[in-house]
Amino acid sequence: MMVLLHVSSLILRILINHNTPFIAQNELFELQILNLYTKTNAVTCDKSLLTIDESEIVFDRERIIKRPGYEILLQDVQSIEFSCSNPIKLIYVYKGNRYELSFEKPKG
C-alpha cells in the first residue's frame, strides 16, 4: 500500500508540473511595464528614458532597470530604445531577438 501511495504521489506531481504554464522573462517584463503604465497619469519619454510617475525605466549594463533604486526588470538585453510618439513604443533586443511594446499616452 505504501509503495502504491508513493508512486501515485510521484505521478500526480509530474502531471501537475507538466501542466504548469510557462511565461518567458521578457513577457513578464512587458507585463510589469504595462502594469506600471495602467496605474499612472504621468508618462514622459525620450530616446533612452521612460518615466512613469516617479519611476524611471532605463538601460544599464545589459539590463533594463527601474529607478529609484536598482530593480532589474530584464537582463541579457543588448539594446533598448523608446519611440516617444503616440503610442509610445519600447523597442528592445533580448537574447538576440527584437521585441516591440506599444502603449498609448494617458489623456490629460
Side-chain angles (χ1 to χ4, degrees):
M1 184 68 159
M2 292 299 288
V3 171
L4 184 59
L5 284 174
H6 182 69
V7 170
S8 298
S9 69
L10 288 175
I11 290 172
L12 185 59
R13 276 192 222 153
I14 290 169
L15 290 175
I16 290 171
N17 288 337
H18 182 70
N19 292 328
T20 303
F22 175 78
I23 184 164
Q25 288 296 312
N26 67 307
E27 292 171 346
L28 182 60
F29 159 70
E30 290 182 6
L31 289 172
Q32 288 175 301
I33 294 294
L34 291 173
N35 184 44
L36 276 173
Y37 172 75
T38 57
K39 296 176 181 178
T40 189
N41 291 321
V43 174
T44 58
C45 174
D46 70 37
K47 192 171 182 161
S48 62
L49 172 70
L50 179 66
T51 303
I52 302 174
D53 282 334
E54 297 173 7
S55 298
E56 295 179 340
I57 309 302
V58 296
F59 181 64
D60 181 46
R61 294 179 281 177
E62 296 187 2
R63 298 178 180 114
I64 299 174
I65 63 163
K66 183 175 90 172
R67 296 188 299 210
Y70 196 88
E71 180 181 345
I72 298 172
L73 299 176
L74 186 63
Q75 52 190 11
D76 300 323
V77 177
Q78 286 77 42
S79 67
I80 184 172
E81 181 180 329
F82 299 101
S83 173
C84 300
S85 58
N86 202 7
I88 294 173
K89 291 183 183 175
L90 165 58
I91 303 155
Y92 64 100
V93 177
Y94 169 68
K95 293 188 175 181
N97 297 311
R98 185 180 185 273
Y99 297 92
E100 187 174 305
L101 177 64
S102 298
F103 45 92
E104 298 285 325
K105 286 184 181 178
K107 305 245 189 280

